[in-house]
Amino acid sequence: MSEFIQPNLIPVIPEMVMLAMTCLVLVVDLFLPQAKRGFTLFLTVLTLLLTAAAVIAIAPADTVSTFGGSFILDQLAVTLKVAILLISALVFIYSRDYLKDHDIYKGEYYVLGLFAVLGMMIMTSAHSFLLVYLGLELLSLSLYAMIAFNRKSIQASESAMKYFVLGAMASGLLLYGISIFYGITGTLDLNQVSDVVRMQLTENPIALSFALTFIVVGLSFKLGAVPFHMWLPDIYQGAPTSVTLFIGTAPKIAGFAMAIRLLVDGLSDLQAEWSQMLLVLAVVSMALGNIVAIVQTNFKRMLAYSTVSHVGFIMLGLLSGTEVGYSAAMFYTLTYAITASVAFGVLMLLNREGFEAENIDDLTGLNNKNPWYAALLAIALFSMAGLPPTVGFYAKLSVIQAVVSIDMVWLAVVAVLLSVIGLFYYLRVVKAMYFDPSDEGRELTIKESLDVKILLSLNGLSLLGLGIFPSGLMAYCILAFS
Amino acid sequence: MTETIIFYVFALMTVVAATAVVTVRNPVHAALSLVLTFFTSAIIWMTLEAEFLAISLVLVYVGAVMVLFLFVVMMLDINIARLREGFVRYLPLGIAVAVIMFVMMVSVITGGIFSGDSVIEPIAKAADYSNTKALGRVLYTQYVFAFEIAAVILLVAIVAAISLTMRKRTHTKYQSPSAQIRVTKADRLRIVKMPPSSEPSRSKTLSNESLGNE
């Protein structure tokens, strides 16, 4: 047995801060009366900000790994962790009024959310199959419980059950792939896996691609790529909107990190094979996501299909197999998460007690009622559709550039054509907000609270700001892969 | 030689019991077959000198998880006929999937890295070698981070289970003895100061008068 070396604990300080603070929130919340629940939210946001500060404070100049190479802190992990933490903090602040109205304003909601964030942080830093899987399970388990959190809603319980069963199956597939890789390489550490795969490449191509298939299937299930997308629309629609907002933003970043860790860090020698698999998944996702979204009348369901098409775009960046492609995909993922937080954030403001705003019809006349929120939602939708000068345009452009640079012009053309189809359903929502007459007798109520208004406005305007000056964020994305 | 015989006997039992889990009609029998599958797998592990895993499989799965399963199966009134609906209809598809999986696995296992020739036979450890100690040693050193995360996952399971199932029941007739003992006079008795009203005082004087009359 090799001698055990005391691990370097500095790179895991953010995770330790996060875990300690989460346990503190769990205990403090027990002693708070319902009227003082705001303090739990305050502590939750404080936890996220403190952890983000810790990540920035210890950010190393070079890649640092600890715990025998199973945990890694590099530029990619630092950037993604900060993004996950900040977006989660926004999400929790936006959902406060919604939670109050739907009688789920409880401390456990925030505790589960914080554990989910911890799982995402572990996923971004994991450098062994074991940690990738454990981080993923920590995230998924918390999400299952958060979806079912509103016990009065049968729909929410149903979608939690669906997510649980399908998620367990996806984890099983992923584990199956991992176990075959373990059989081939005899190690779980991604660096060593990468070395052994390089040696085995010519000897055992069948066994390797057999294992890779399961990994890719598990990954695309978690990301929500066609044909493994079936859970997404049901869960987006059935879950409380606050949870949909949470699922639709930060976990996408964690899923991207998982894809990078597994495919790029661990299995880069099989790139020729997984590129082919991702190519099929990406094209089918963009086509089905954009076309099926056209017929949706439920706004949340429509955004779910739109997510499927965006996942296709992220995969386009990954499959190019170049550093430019990876950083384009990272930029796309980050900006998508910011955009989705605005779209769901505005939708959530329209909810009130006993009423769940989720249909496109519910948005009619929003411009008359409150032009500012209508404008913010329109910016978010334009960004998703990829219209300039919003950030969505630049994100799509950089992914398409990456695809063109590997001489797959036909793929770029397909992506652009499918985005044009997608434009239709985004604009339909804008039409409903601005031009459709609102039904008589249906009162549109908007919850106004100052902090949400300020943050949501900044969040929405950042889509324009990043669209006009994308180079700052892009520089971080390029740095992560250089 | 004896080891080989033991392996084949218990391997055969494992396969038969596992098949029974999905084919028997009665769910209780299915659960019991699963118990047998776990038990025989534990014995196969034992022949591999993995005593700790074998014993924990029996303790955790046979002792706890499956007993819980049996409870659930016996408590719930499951309509067996409905469960078996569509078995024949989906059978061709199921068989097709099973055959494809089987062929794929055989093609992977027979050639290359998973074939019997390429696996190095492990050296048998001495009789005093403690499997449990060896596991514990790597669990708390090499895999300590993963171990901690597994602990956090368990904590999430506890928080989730309690928050999803605990309800404040309002109609229970629960008594709190400590509250009953600590009760004070002020909690039960309310003394109200009332101004003397005119009506009773007159009756009082009347009664006094009547008393005086007598």
Side-chain angles (χ1 to χ4, degrees):
Chain A
M1 204 186 106
S2 61
E3 200 55 41
F4 174 63
I5 311 151
Q6 186 74 37
N8 176 13
L9 289 180
I10 293 175
V12 286
I13 284 177
E15 277 78 6
M16 286 155 70
V17 170
M18 184 81 189
L19 181 58
M21 286 293 287
T22 308
C23 295
L24 184 78
V25 173
L26 181 62
V27 175
V28 166
D29 179 71
L30 283 179
F31 297 98
L32 289 177
Q34 184 63 32
K36 294 228 175 78
R37 201 60 71 206
F39 188 65
T40 311
L41 173 62
F42 168 75
L43 271 185
T44 304
V45 174
L46 183 73
T47 305
L48 293 167
L49 294 181
L50 267 182
T51 314
V55 173
I56 294 167
I58 60 145
D62 300 321
T63 303
V64 185
S65 71
T66 182
F67 289 106
S70 66
F71 187 95
I72 192 169
L73 192 66
D74 51 6
Q75 191 60 47
L76 174 75
V78 169
T79 313
L80 291 183
K81 273 182 196 175
V82 172
I84 287 171
L85 290 163
L86 294 184
I87 290 178
S88 307
L90 277 184
V91 164
F92 284 132
I93 296 173
Y94 291 169
S95 26
R96 182 188 54 211
D97 291 327
Y98 179 89
L99 296 180
K100 271 183 198 164
D101 285 347
H102 290 77
D103 201 18
I104 44 176
Y105 193 45
K106 292 182 186 139
E108 287 84 5
Y109 182 89
Y110 294 112
V111 171
L112 288 171
L114 286 175
F115 277 129
V117 175
L118 181 63
M120 291 186 238
M121 289 173 69
I122 291 163
M123 279 163 80
T124 53
S125 272
H127 220 247
S128 85
F129 277 132
L130 189 62
L131 278 194
V132 170
Y133 175 70
L134 286 173
L136 177 67
E137 281 305 288
L138 184 54
L139 167 65
S140 311
L141 274 176
S142 315
L143 287 183
Y144 302 147
M146 283 172 86
I147 294 172
F149 209 78
N150 189 358
R151 289 190 308 224
K152 281 180 236 153
S153 163
I154 298 168
Q155 223 185 8
S157 309
E158 184 197 324
S159 58
M161 203 62 208
K162 275 183 187 160
Y163 192 26
F164 180 69
V165 172
L166 291 175
M169 202 181 80
S171 298
L173 289 172
L174 190 70
L175 273 185
Y176 199 42
I178 289 175
S179 68
I180 298 171
F181 269 117
Y182 184 60
I184 297 171
T185 61
T187 175
L188 289 170
D189 185 278
L190 284 174
N191 275 334
Q192 291 168 25
V193 167
S194 171
D195 293 343
V196 181
V197 165
R198 194 169 302 131
M199 285 190 286
Q200 295 279 349
L201 207 54
T202 46
E203 289 170 44
N204 286 302
I206 300 175
L208 286 175
S209 32
F210 185 64
L212 179 68
T213 311
F214 283 102
I215 298 267
V216 170
V217 169
L219 259 180
S220 28
F221 207 103
K222 295 291 176 189
L223 280 171
V226 177
F228 311 104
H229 68 289
M230 302 80 72
W231 59 275
L232 235 137
D234 286 353
I235 275 79
Y236 269 46
Q237 186 185 354
T241 310
S242 61
V243 182
T244 312
L245 166 68
F246 188 59
I247 296 176
T249 51
K252 298 286 176 249
I253 302 175
F256 169 78
M258 184 168 80
I260 290 287
R261 292 293 179 217
L262 289 179
L263 297 181
V264 180
D265 284 6
L267 308 170
S268 55
D269 290 291
L270 295 170
Q271 195 255 326
E273 301 210 16
W274 56 253
S275 276
Q276 293 297 313
M277 298 180 190
L278 292 189
L279 175 66
V280 177
L281 293 169
V283 171
V284 184
S285 301
M286 286 189 297
L288 193 125
N290 278 322
I291 292 168
V292 178
I294 292 175
V295 294
Q296 304 302 324
T297 54
N298 184 302
F299 188 56
K300 281 157 85 180
R301 214 173 167 81
M302 190 201 93
L303 284 181
Y305 280 107
S306 124
T307 305
V308 172
S309 72
H310 288 293
V311 167
F313 250 97
I314 293 168
M315 284 186 162
L316 280 190
L318 287 176
L319 70 85
S320 67
T322 56
E323 281 164 8
V324 179
Y326 301 148
S327 37
M330 181 174 165
F331 185 82
Y332 199 101
T333 315
L334 290 177
T335 53
Y336 174 72
I338 300 173
T339 313
S341 61
V342 178
F344 284 112
V346 174
L347 180 69
M348 216 153 49
L349 291 178
L350 306 179
N351 280 284
R352 60 172 179 274
E353 218 170 327
F355 172 72
E356 187 91 36
E358 55 176 18
N359 289 321
I360 296 176
D361 291 343
D362 295 334
L363 293 166
T364 51
L366 180 62
N367 183 45
N368 292 334
K369 180 81 189 172
N370 192 324
W372 179 236
Y373 286 130
L376 287 179
L377 186 54
I379 291 172
L381 290 169
F382 284 148
S383 176
M384 284 184 183
L387 292 178
T390 55
V391 70
F393 170 74
Y394 190 79
K396 280 198 166 58
L397 180 71
S398 51
V399 166
I400 287 169
Q401 271 175 344
V403 172
V404 171
S405 71
I406 55 158
D407 296 328
M408 293 183 92
V409 179
W410 69 270
L411 188 57
V413 173
V414 169
V416 171
L417 283 179
L418 289 169
S419 307
V420 173
I421 294 177
L423 196 60
F424 170 77
Y425 60 85
Y426 294 120
L427 289 183
R428 199 177 54 161
V429 179
V430 174
K431 172 176 167 281
M433 287 190 306
Y434 281 93
F435 304 114
D436 285 357
S438 56
D439 310 343
E440 289 301 316
R442 190 180 52 83
E443 190 59 36
L444 198 64
T445 50
I446 294 176
K447 294 268 170 191
E448 290 272 19
S449 43
L450 191 64
D451 52 347
V452 172
K453 189 170 186 177
I454 292 171
L455 286 171
L456 198 58
S457 306
L458 286 177
N459 197 347
L461 291 177
S462 72
L463 298 178
L464 283 177
L466 283 171
I468 298 166
F469 306 106
S471 51
L473 184 59
M474 197 65 193
Y476 278 106
C477 296
I478 291 169
L479 203 62
F481 292 102
S482 57
Chain B
M1 187 59 207
T2 24
E3 270 183 33
T4 321
I5 294 170
I6 291 173
F7 170 75
Y8 276 110
V9 167
F10 284 98
L12 186 71
M13 278 170 76
T14 313
V15 172
V16 171
T19 320
V21 175
V22 286
T23 49
V24 292
R25 285 186 174 275
N26 191 330
V28 178
H29 293 172
L32 288 171
S33 306
L34 196 54
V35 170
L36 184 61
T37 316
F38 284 140
F39 196 74
T40 48
S41 319
I43 290 174
I44 292 173
W45 258 345
M46 200 68 110
T47 61
L48 286 172
E49 299 182 8
E51 321 89 46
F52 179 76
L53 288 180
I55 292 168
S56 52
L57 184 72
V58 171
L59 286 182
V60 176
Y61 276 88
V62 178
V65 176
M66 283 320 295
V67 171
L68 202 69
F69 253 65
L70 268 181
F71 268 131
V72 173
V73 168
M74 287 176 175
M75 297 269 227
L76 295 180
D77 189 20
I78 299 168
N79 188 348
I80 302 162
R82 250 195 75 207
L83 278 183
R84 302 196 64 84
E85 235 170 51
F87 185 78
V88 178
R89 224 178 85 208
Y90 296 120
L91 194 63
L93 185 67
I95 288 178
V97 171
V99 166
I100 292 171
M101 290 286 281
F102 186 73
V103 170
M104 276 166 80
M105 283 180 182
V106 166
S107 71
V108 168
I109 291 170
T110 50
I113 197 148
F114 291 117
S115 65
D117 315 323
S118 66
V119 178
I120 310 148
E121 202 167 307
I123 312 142
K125 295 279 192 292
D128 62 344
Y129 180 78
S130 169
N131 204 296
T132 317
K133 203 185 270 178
L135 266 177
R137 202 166 271 159
V138 291
L139 204 57
Y140 289 100
T141 55
Q142 199 184 340
Y143 294 107
V144 65
F145 191 68
F147 182 74
E148 294 297 330
I149 299 168
V152 175
I153 291 178
L154 282 182
L155 180 60
V156 169
I158 296 171
V159 173
I162 293 176
S163 64
L164 290 184
T165 53
M166 200 185 79
R167 284 149 214 263
K168 285 254 156 48
R169 291 198 290 170
T170 44
H171 301 297
T172 49
K173 302 215 162 53
Y174 172 76
Q175 296 187 342
S176 166
S178 63
Q180 287 175 338
I181 291 168
R182 276 189 280 109
V183 78
T184 55
K185 194 171 81 182
D187 294 337
R188 293 280 162 87
L189 190 69
R190 197 158 57 99
I191 298 172
V192 190
K193 278 268 187 318
M194 289 182 88
S197 57
S198 50
E199 284 295 326
S201 63
R202 199 201 297 161
S203 68
K204 213 175 181 178
T205 44
L206 273 174
S207 62
N208 280 350
E209 274 170 17
S210 62
L211 273 173
N213 285 347
E214 278 189 9

